[in-house]
Amino acid sequence: MQRLLAFLLIAQFFLAVGQAQSQALPAPSYWKNERGSELFVWSATGGAIQGTFTNHAQGFACQGIPYPASGAVRPTGLYFIVTFGQCNSFTRWVGKINGPQMPTSWTLFYVDKNGKPSKLKGADTFTRVW
């Protein structure tokens, strides 16, 4: 099951590279979405994003734990991916910077109770705190 999750993560990483859209991402910066989840961007140099993401969304597992976030930023957009190791899942966000806001769409990839790879889609808007 972990090999399947790793394969899906790698495949999604390469797919996301072509989908990113936005302007420059300030680093360091701290962002919070409407669900209370937090994104700390420590580095956004050379097009690579590095930081941490802490989930606080109601109804989702793996809350309150900072997980590594990595991705890419280009003049046309950005994406970042977080692997929630304790939950056997990962999420990819794709979005763009729009002033102090970062509207994104996300896809959560996970393994369901029957061992079947599954996904859930949604949207978040991150607001820059600092």
Side-chain angles (χ1 to χ4, degrees), residues 84-96:
F84 301 96
Q86 293 181 342
C87 292
N88 248 353
S89 65
F90 68 93
T91 304
R92 175 204 61 192
W93 286 263
V94 177
K96 53 184 169 179

Side-chain angles (χ1 to χ4, degrees), residues 7-20 79 81 92:
F7 173 76
L8 290 172
L9 177 61
I10 291 167
Q12 202 55 37
F13 174 82
F14 287 110
L15 290 173
V17 170
Q19 295 178 354
Y79 77 90
I81 296 172
R92 175 204 61 192

Side-chain angles (χ1 to χ4, degrees), residues 5 13 15 30 33 35 43 51 64-65 76-78 84 90 95 97 105 110 112 118 120:
L5 188 59
F13 174 82
L15 290 173
Y30 168 57
N33 70 19
R35 300 168 194 257
S43 173
I65 303 166
T76 57
L78 62 88
F84 301 96
F90 68 93
I97 305 294
S105 59
Y110 64 99
D112 71 14
S118 301
L120 182 65

Side-chain angles (χ1 to χ4, degrees), residues 49-60:
I49 298 171
Q50 297 295 321
T52 59
F53 179 85
T54 305
N55 175 34
H56 295 292
Q58 292 288 340
F60 290 88

